[in-house]
Amino acid sequence: MRYSTYQSIYEPVNSEVVNSNIGKIKTLLTRYKLSKGLIKLVIASLIVFIGCSTVLTVFAGNENDLLPGGKIAVSQGETLWSISLEHKPATMDTRVYIEAIIKVNQLASTTIQTGQVLILPQFVK
């Protein structure tokens, strides 16, 4: 017979405790006169609610709607602000476009260097 040094990090399951807890749940259900049908209805309602909220979140527009666009090389004296003013959509806030540039280019800060190549974000319409 072989011996193992394996020792579980979990305590062994005590079936008496499990049965006791199941009994307590059954007692609660009968005490508050909750029928199995009502419990099933509540669980089904929660599933539908969570499912619908997930679908609405997926279809809501957010910053993930941006795509990489053209590339530019940073010229002497240019800043993210000046680049943003020149290339952003007309209806977009300059600060939002700067954040998109930072995200697309995975910049650690707003500091850019002359000659650095930046990818300009495009937004899904």
Side-chain angles (χ1 to χ4, degrees):
M1 189 161 140
R2 293 185 177 174
Y3 295 98
S4 171
T5 59
Y6 172 78
Q7 183 178 2
S8 176
I9 61 171
Y10 303 104
E11 295 180 18
V13 176
N14 185 347
S15 62
E16 292 175 9
V17 172
V18 171
N19 290 336
S20 168
N21 288 338
I22 291 173
K24 289 177 184 176
I25 292 171
K26 287 181 181 178
T27 305
L28 279 174
L29 292 177
T30 55
R31 180 182 300 162
Y32 293 108
K33 296 181 178 146
L34 297 174
S35 67
K36 290 181 182 179
L38 179 63
I39 293 172
K40 288 179 183 178
L41 178 66
V42 168
I43 291 173
S45 300
L46 284 173
I47 291 171
V48 169
F49 176 74
I50 292 169
C52 289
S53 63
T54 303
V55 168
L56 291 176
T57 303
V58 168
F59 288 110
N62 60 21
E63 69 274 355
N64 294 331
D65 291 342
L66 60 92
L67 303 170
K71 295 181 180 181
I72 62 158
V74 177
S75 301
Q76 180 72 31
E78 282 188 314
T79 63
L80 285 177
W81 188 268
S82 64
I83 292 170
S84 180
L85 286 174
E86 188 176 332
H87 297 283
K88 73 176 181 70
T91 59
M92 182 176 281
D93 185 4
T94 306
R95 294 167 291 192
V96 172
Y97 196 75
I98 289 172
E99 289 298 320
I101 291 173
I102 292 170
K103 183 174 182 179
V104 167
N105 291 282
Q106 298 175 350
L107 301 176
S109 70
T110 57
T111 305
I112 55 175
Q113 304 296 321
T114 301
Q116 182 176 359
V117 177
L118 294 177
I119 299 171
L120 296 175
Q122 290 181 341
F123 288 84
V124 177
K125 294 181 181 179

